[in-house]
Amino acid sequence: MTDTIDTKHLYLRHGADRQVAKSLLLSGKLVAIPTETVYGLAALATNPTAIAAVFAAKQRPLDHPLIVHIGSFSQLDYWVEHVPDEAWRLINEFWPGPLTLLLRKSAKASDAITAGLDTVAVRMPALPELRQLLAELDQGVVAPSANPHKALSPTRAEHVLGSLHGRIDAVLDGGPCDVGLESTIVDLSSGSPRVLRAGPIDADALSQVLGQKVAQPVSHDVKVAGNMRAHYQPNTRLQLLGSAALRHKLSQVGSQSANWVVLHYSELEIPAGITSIKLASQKQLFARHLYDALHQADTLGADEILVEKPPKEGQWMDVWDRLTRASATDL
Ligand code: TXA
Ligand code: MG
């Protein structure tokens, strides 16, 4: 693909820049937008040509459906056939915020968005200026994460520009993302509610609000379009190691070549010559900085990124899910 577009760098905090972003979107252009989770590559959800351009810019397979992002509650009815009781309960508790609801689609949700499925994914992102912008647009935007297909998601405007500069019309810079991992996706379209993608709002929190057990996959086991074993990947090979195995590997440095970058959260002794990035042991902080650390690690020309395995429990399931996919190889 030839890089021909002069990608504008706009700022969310500047009213004039928000107006530029709005005009670009209204005229069918692609604008990367900040959200509390990760940056999204936005296009007007009512414009099939613009949606096709999103797939092309990301080199995303057409059978991977997109999330519609809305700025006001009144926009919900446009996209979905019916909002069930459970959905309202979750909306009241978690919107605006990092929760995507999968509901039965209305006739207006085109196959370009849903990949021909009879459901549509909808979410209302948290940043107030962004929400205002979305509310002013016709009916909201589609916004997959603003990265090439399968690559690491961006949590800073610089990450977006690093991979999509020249392929999109603008990035609206809102600074680093606060949450840092993609939204939780909950399927409310049939049967009992279930989590399709682990995210910042975990199954316990959802269960509590709904008063019933919400199933959450450990990883990889929900068969939906777009659920891939290998995903969220840096260009450098990534290996996940338990704390003890990582300690052992580091103790061997000297007897083998070790062009590694280490991402860890435990106190570890890092041998001289090895670059390391320390992440917080508190989950929210770990998640906030994880993609940024991986983007950083990816620029260092290492043979391998070694990541200390996070706990495999409750609140950490989204981190666990992303890291296992980041370390997976396609079979
Ligand atoms: O936090 C987020 O959700 C970010 C920000 C930008 O909002 N967006 C995001 O979009 O992560 P994307 O396209 O990278 O991931 C959306 C996931 C995909 O795995 C897709 O297959 C799934 O949502 N999805 C969307 N619509 C669906 C549908 N109708 N049925 C099943 N899965 C769906
Ligand atoms: Mg994505």
Side-chain angles (χ1 to χ4, degrees):
M1 185 176 299
T2 46
D3 291 350
T4 51
I5 305 173
D6 174 25
T7 305
K8 292 188 170 63
H9 194 148
L10 306 169
Y11 290 88
L12 183 68
R13 63 179 185 279
H14 294 159
D17 280 5
R18 293 200 297 277
Q19 288 309 311
V20 174
K22 184 175 148 190
S23 313
L24 286 170
L25 287 165
L26 284 172
S27 61
K29 306 287 191 197
L30 307 189
V31 179
I33 54 168
T35 82
E36 76 279 32
T37 58
V38 301
Y39 277 73
L41 182 55
L44 205 60
T46 44
N47 183 332
T49 315
I51 295 172
V54 167
F55 280 93
K58 279 182 60 85
Q59 299 179 301
R60 178 176 172 114
L62 294 172
D63 65 352
H64 286 42
L66 303 172
I67 298 173
V68 175
H69 294 59
I70 58 174
S72 66
F73 290 97
S74 58
Q75 291 177 337
L76 187 57
D77 276 341
Y78 185 89
W79 297 108
V80 309
E81 185 186 74
H82 166 66
V83 184
D85 245 23
E86 288 112 342
W88 281 122
R89 269 187 264 158
L90 294 179
I91 286 170
N92 286 336
E93 187 70 23
F94 298 115
W95 276 16
L99 179 68
T100 296
L101 299 179
L102 200 67
L103 297 166
R104 299 190 71 78
K105 76 176 189 105
S106 75
K108 294 181 189 107
S110 66
D111 286 348
I113 299 173
T114 67
L117 299 173
D118 54 11
T119 54
V120 65
V122 189
R123 106 171 179 91
M124 184 184 284
L127 296 180
E129 295 100 331
L130 175 74
R131 231 163 54 231
Q132 177 66 32
L133 195 164
L134 296 181
E136 288 171 18
L137 289 170
D138 189 9
Q139 304 292 350
V141 298
V142 294
S145 51
N147 50 274
H149 181 54
K150 284 191 171 183
L152 278 178
S153 297
T155 56
R156 294 175 180 272
E158 293 73 21
H159 300 158
V160 177
L161 291 169
S163 62
L164 294 179
H165 186 269
R167 294 200 206 175
I168 62 175
D169 297 282
V171 59
L172 187 58
D173 191 337
C177 300
D178 192 44
V179 174
L181 287 186
E182 299 82 355
S183 62
T184 306
I185 303 181
V186 187
D187 183 3
L188 296 175
S189 67
S190 63
S192 320
R194 57 183 187 144
V195 173
L196 295 188
R197 178 174 71 186
I201 296 172
D202 67 25
D204 281 350
L206 297 168
S207 306
Q208 237 169 44
V209 171
L210 291 178
Q212 60 176 303
K213 181 98 185 114
V214 176
Q216 169 154 299
V218 173
S219 208
H220 307 321
D221 52 356
V222 178
K223 294 279 172 284
V224 289
N227 187 7
M228 295 170 303
R229 189 168 171 276
H231 198 164
Y232 311 109
Q233 302 212 324
N235 296 314
T236 316
R237 191 151 55 95
L238 185 152
Q239 199 185 342
L240 265 180
L241 291 166
S243 310
L246 182 56
R247 274 201 180 85
H248 178 73
K249 192 159 170 117
L250 290 174
S251 73
Q252 304 293 300
V253 169
S255 61
Q256 53 179 301
S257 91
N259 183 16
W260 307 322
V261 184
V262 177
L263 261 63
H264 64 109
Y265 59 91
S266 301
E267 295 304 330
L268 287 183
E269 217 163 294
I270 305 293
I274 302 277
T275 308
S276 66
I277 302 176
K278 175 89 161 50
L279 289 162
S281 54
Q282 196 262 349
K283 192 259 157 170
Q284 271 79 16
L285 288 175
F286 183 104
R288 182 181 297 166
H289 297 293
L290 176 62
Y291 283 147
D292 193 34
L294 288 171
H295 276 282
Q296 242 178 296
D298 213 11
T299 60
L300 297 174
D303 294 337
E304 207 168 15
I305 302 171
L306 305 179
V307 182
E308 183 179 6
K309 266 188 198 167
K312 191 178 178 179
E313 59 177 48
Q315 283 209 323
W316 286 84
M317 290 319 288
D318 52 351
V319 167
W320 181 266
D321 171 72
R322 303 309 185 273
L323 281 173
T324 46
R325 289 176 205 245
S327 65
T329 45
D330 275 322
L331 294 176

